[in-house]
Amino acid sequence: MSVVEQYARAHIVTDEDEDDPGAVPVMLTYDPDTDPWSIRVGLPGPQEWTFSRALLEEGLRAPAESGDGDVRVWPCGRVQAVVEFHSPQGVEVVQFDVKALMRFLRRTYTAEPVRS
């Protein structure tokens, strides 16, 4: 098994007065051949973020952030987690079910790089 890809349903959190658009599909990707320490989160549209797999795991238990502060993860109650992405264009806040993120993390730890 090489690349791990998993869709997760997430809610984009916004302060706009619109109705909640509901859950959107988010692609979680882990490629041990490219970077065994990182994961990618593909948001709707062309947005994709790469950050430490350890950051995601740590953030499911307690608030955590990347060294440069552009990604923050924290638990939100017992069944949800929030991932916050900072860029020059603004902040994107995404709320996930913890079960989906835990399932993805378990799959990444069983993935092995392809041997040449």
Side-chain angles (χ1 to χ4, degrees), residues 4 30 39 53 103-112:
V4 174
Y30 171 71
I39 61 166
R53 177 172 61 168
R103 184 175 31 247
F104 172 70
L105 282 172
R106 276 194 302 274
R107 291 181 63 210
T108 70
Y109 285 113
T110 61
E112 294 183 19

Side-chain angles (χ1 to χ4, degrees), residues 11-112:
H11 286 270
I12 307 295
V13 180
T14 178
D15 62 357
E16 295 181 13
D17 291 334
E18 305 175 354
D19 292 332
D20 180 5
V24 296
V26 174
M27 175 61 83
L28 306 170
T29 306
Y30 171 71
D31 186 348
D33 293 326
T34 302
D35 186 352
W37 309 112
S38 296
I39 61 166
R40 293 191 314 270
V41 176
L43 300 175
Q47 301 169 316
E48 184 173 87
W49 291 83
T50 301
F51 60 96
S52 162
R53 177 172 61 168
L55 172 65
L56 178 60
E57 186 172 0
E58 182 182 339
L60 294 179
R61 293 186 307 271
E65 69 179 64
S66 61
D68 54 8
D70 64 339
V71 178
R72 297 177 182 151
V73 182
W74 66 89
C76 181
R78 296 178 64 176
V79 297
Q80 297 192 328
V82 173
V83 183
E84 185 177 274
F85 302 101
H86 292 256
S87 74
Q89 292 76 33
V91 177
E92 193 88 44
V93 180
V94 184
Q95 190 172 28
F96 291 90
D97 285 339
V98 169
K99 283 183 181 181
L101 296 177
M102 291 297 294
R103 184 175 31 247
F104 172 70
L105 282 172
R106 276 194 302 274
R107 291 181 63 210
T108 70
Y109 285 113
T110 61
E112 294 183 19

